[in-house]
Structure formats: structure tokens, C-alpha cells
Amino acid sequence: MPPLLAGEDVEQLLDRLHGDVKAALARVEVAQLEAGASPLPAWMIEIPLQGDGGRDVLQLHLEFVADAADGGHGWTLGFALDLPTLGPLQGELHLREPRLSVRLWAAQAETAQRLERQFTALRQRLAACGVLLDQLSCQVGLPQPPGRHSAVLLQATA
């Protein structure tokens, strides 16, 4: 059993251990996702983050996408994070130059509203870079897993 940190009581230790176990299980799930990866290039990356409220893992899934119908190609970036101040967040960005679609999900309604207040500034910055924004949305709640990696990301976040 790990020792108590300075000023930590047993309840805080149990909370820390619970987070560590969830993080370990998330890594197992990520390894399973990587094992069944598609033949096209895809990467699953975990970045540990330490904040005032504890630790979390930022999960990223970057995938090259080819459309056989029209010969086009692009990239999809999925991410999942659970920040103490914002709660669980998940997003998917689809880039098919020069077009970009962004879908965000926030478990908390207040977080979705905070994100939406930034949409105008984001649209302006993207337009200044020559990126055409096809879709920009933020929904309250988390996406239902349709069998794609991105829907599983947040469930694996610890």
C-alpha cells in the first residue's frame, strides 16, 4: 500500500488509489484499441496531466482517413479529458483541407456553454488561417459508442 502523502487522510489516499486503478485500466483499454487498429495510419497517445485537483490522462487518437469514393483524404483527431473544473470533455476534429468539422461533447451544461462562448473567436482565427469551418458544435452529454475508437476514449479516461 502506498504511503500517505503529507496532509493526506485515509479518504484522500483511497481517492488517489481509485484514480490510479482507473488510469491503469485505461492503459489496458488503449492497448486493446491499438491492437485492433485499421490498416491505415492511426496513433493512440496518452499524455498524463497533473493539476491542482489530481491527475488525469489526456487521450488522443489521430487517424489518416481515405475516401475510396472520391479519392479524397484527411485526418481525424479525437480526444478525451476529464478536468476537475470542466468535467468530462470529448471531441472529434475532421480535417479535409481546407475544410474542418469540429464536434465537442461536455458532460456538464455549464461547460458546454463556456465552450460555445468561444466559438466566434475560434471561427475568426480559423478563417484568418484559411480554414473553412463546416461544422462547429458542442453537445451536452457524452457520445454513445458506435464502435469507433473516439466514443471509447472518454470511458477509458482516468
Side-chain angles (χ1 to χ4, degrees):
M1 178 181 245
L4 291 172
L5 299 176
E8 185 177 49
D9 64 16
V10 172
E11 192 67 35
Q12 291 169 320
L13 172 65
L14 291 175
D15 286 343
R16 185 166 48 99
L17 289 174
H18 181 255
D20 290 346
V21 169
K22 284 176 64 177
L25 290 173
R27 284 172 190 64
V28 170
E29 189 166 352
V30 167
Q32 290 172 341
L33 289 173
E34 288 175 338
S38 69
L40 293 175
W43 298 269
M44 183 74 81
I45 303 163
E46 286 187 321
I47 303 171
L49 303 173
Q50 178 69 41
D52 294 337
R55 287 180 265 172
D56 194 21
V57 176
L58 168 63
Q59 292 182 333
L60 299 170
H61 177 254
L62 182 62
E63 182 176 6
F64 181 77
V65 180
D67 187 348
D70 67 4
H73 61 276
W75 292 91
T76 297
L77 173 71
F79 70 89
L81 184 61
D82 186 353
L83 296 172
T85 56
L86 297 176
L89 297 170
Q90 189 166 336
E92 277 189 352
L93 291 81
H94 300 279
L95 177 63
R96 194 165 172 186
E97 287 192 53
R99 302 189 161 315
L100 176 68
S101 294
V102 179
R103 295 185 312 169
L104 303 171
W105 293 269
Q108 301 173 9
E110 179 182 317
T111 299
Q113 292 168 356
R114 287 176 69 182
L115 290 170
E116 287 171 347
R117 285 193 293 267
Q118 300 300 316
F119 281 5
T120 301
L122 179 59
R123 286 181 199 277
Q124 292 170 346
R125 288 182 185 147
L126 290 171
C129 296
V131 176
L132 303 174
L133 192 57
D134 282 343
Q135 176 186 359
L136 178 57
S137 66
C138 185
Q139 299 174 351
V140 176
L142 300 176
Q144 298 303 311
R148 292 207 19 98
H149 297 295
S150 60
V152 179
L153 283 174
L154 193 58
Q155 295 172 3
T157 302

